[in-house]
């Protein structure tokens, strides 16, 4: 396995208002590194990260896939969106858009069925529901009941935005009930698996992978 360097994020001076890369971010990088052969093989044209924060994950993906893909970073926190842009620019990534918005709301319906790689390291911490919905630093962690309230906003949209053969990676903690998420996505025809699991302090973190099956001629009959 080729070792992919962790993107330099020391130039960013935004961590009073933007999520600073932590164990969850680094587990996500390790999962993508492990997945690099698969990711190259599907030859992605469009890669989207929801909740791009500092930009470390999208920059890392771009360093695996190179210039043939287009990278879209979306974050509800305006300062995070600016940081993502700075990170991509700092690492000389050229084909990108950074958007400040909620989830996939700003992707037009024409983009349905076109996203080859979708990434989300969400706000996963269980919190009271009234802490969910901010646009500042609290949006990095506040996940509401079971830490699932923000995750559950994205899940129903994944299938329609992924291309055939496209892949979605999602980081979860145990409290998010990853097994239940896999069942939900499998019911939509996505093939679910675990890429990596690691305990970091009191959190059992797992990166899940969901593949949208390519339809065969038999499926279309
Ligand atoms: C745990 S942080 C991950 C940041 C970065 N991807 C990383 O791994 O270091 C979650 C990110 O999701 C963003 N976020 C939360 N709710 C969102 C929403 N509804 N739409 C888009 N981004 C959201 C937060 O602002 C935050 O940057």
């Amino acid at each position: 396995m080729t070792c992919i360097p962790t993107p330099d994020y020391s130039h960013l001076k935004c961590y009073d208002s933007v999520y600073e890369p932590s164990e969850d971010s680094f587990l996500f990088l390790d999962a993508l590194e492990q997945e690099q052969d698969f990711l190259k093989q599907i030859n992605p044209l469009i890669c989207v990260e929801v909740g791009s924060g500092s930009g470390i994950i999208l920059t890392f993906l771009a360093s695996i896939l190179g210039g043939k893909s287009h990278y879209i970073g979306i974050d509800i926190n305006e300062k995070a969106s600016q940081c993502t842009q700075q990170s991509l620019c700092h690492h000389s990534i050229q084909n990108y858009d950074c958007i400040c918005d909620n989830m996939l709301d700003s992707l037009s319906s024409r983009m349905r069925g076109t996203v080859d790689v979708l990434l989300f390291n969400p706000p996963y911490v269980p919190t009271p529901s009234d802490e969910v919905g901010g646009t500042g630093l609290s949006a990095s962690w506040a996940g509401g009941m079971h830490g699932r309230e923000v995750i559950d906003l994205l899940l129903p949209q994944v299938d329609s935005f992924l291309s055939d053969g496209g892949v979605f990676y999602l980081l979860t903690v145990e409290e998010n009930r990853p097994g239940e998420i896999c069942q939900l996505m499998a019911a939509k025809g996505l093939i679910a698996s675990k890429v990596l699991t690691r305990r970091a302090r009191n959190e059992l973190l797992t990166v899940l992978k969901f593949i949208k099956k390519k339809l065969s001629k038999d499926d279309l009959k």
Side-chain angles (χ1 to χ4, degrees):
M1 185 168 70
T2 311
C3 186
I4 313 288
T6 300
D8 171 25
Y9 56 97
S10 61
H11 59 286
L12 296 173
K13 308 279 178 250
C14 53
Y15 298 123
D16 53 340
S17 48
V18 175
Y19 190 72
E20 182 164 2
S22 303
E23 281 94 341
D24 48 331
S25 323
F26 298 123
L27 182 70
F28 215 117
L29 300 191
D30 290 345
L32 293 179
E33 185 176 66
Q34 191 174 302
E35 289 285 294
Q36 59 184 295
D37 291 343
F38 167 79
L39 286 164
K40 285 179 193 157
Q41 182 204 314
I42 63 171
N43 205 14
L45 291 180
I46 299 186
C47 303
V48 177
E49 183 183 6
V50 175
S52 51
S54 64
I56 190 171
I57 293 178
L58 197 57
T59 302
F60 190 80
L61 182 70
S63 66
I64 292 174
L65 294 174
K68 272 201 283 177
S69 307
H70 190 85
Y71 303 94
I72 303 176
I74 302 171
D75 205 292
I76 202 157
N77 174 342
E78 178 140 29
K79 293 219 168 100
S81 185
Q82 289 163 1
C83 280
T84 303
Q85 179 158 17
Q86 286 168 26
S87 285
L88 291 164
C89 187
H90 184 80
H91 292 85
S92 308
I93 315 295
Q94 283 166 359
N95 313 325
Y96 67 80
D97 290 297
C98 294
I99 302 170
C100 176
D101 207 350
N102 178 47
M103 298 291 168
L104 300 172
D105 290 359
S106 31
L107 300 193
S108 78
S109 55
R110 276 185 302 160
M111 283 197 67
R112 287 182 191 273
T114 67
V115 176
D116 302 306
V117 180
L118 179 63
L119 312 172
F120 193 25
N121 178 12
Y124 55 70
V125 178
T127 62
S129 294
D130 60 8
E131 289 182 20
V132 176
T135 56
L137 195 54
S138 68
S140 303
W141 70 77
M145 194 190 288
H146 307 305
R148 276 280 293 277
E149 291 186 33
V150 183
I151 293 173
D152 284 348
L153 295 176
L154 185 65
L155 296 184
Q157 301 195 59
V158 169
D159 173 46
S160 66
F161 276 97
L162 280 187
S163 59
D164 290 344
V167 64
F168 169 49
Y169 294 96
L170 173 71
L171 185 135
T172 60
V173 285
E174 199 173 14
E175 293 82 352
N176 302 152
R177 305 178 174 179
E180 186 185 284
I181 295 175
C182 290
Q183 281 177 3
L184 275 170
M185 300 302 266
K188 288 177 168 283
L190 296 165
I191 302 161
S193 58
K194 285 184 187 175
V195 182
L196 268 185
T197 295
R198 181 177 299 156
R199 185 166 287 283
R201 283 175 274 178
N202 60 339
E203 294 179 334
L204 185 62
L205 303 163
T206 298
V207 177
L208 301 173
K209 172 182 181 182
F210 303 94
I211 300 177
K212 183 168 169 181
K213 207 171 66 160
K214 272 194 184 138
L215 292 178
S216 68
K217 283 182 191 155
D218 287 343
D219 292 324
L220 298 169
K221 275 182 195 164

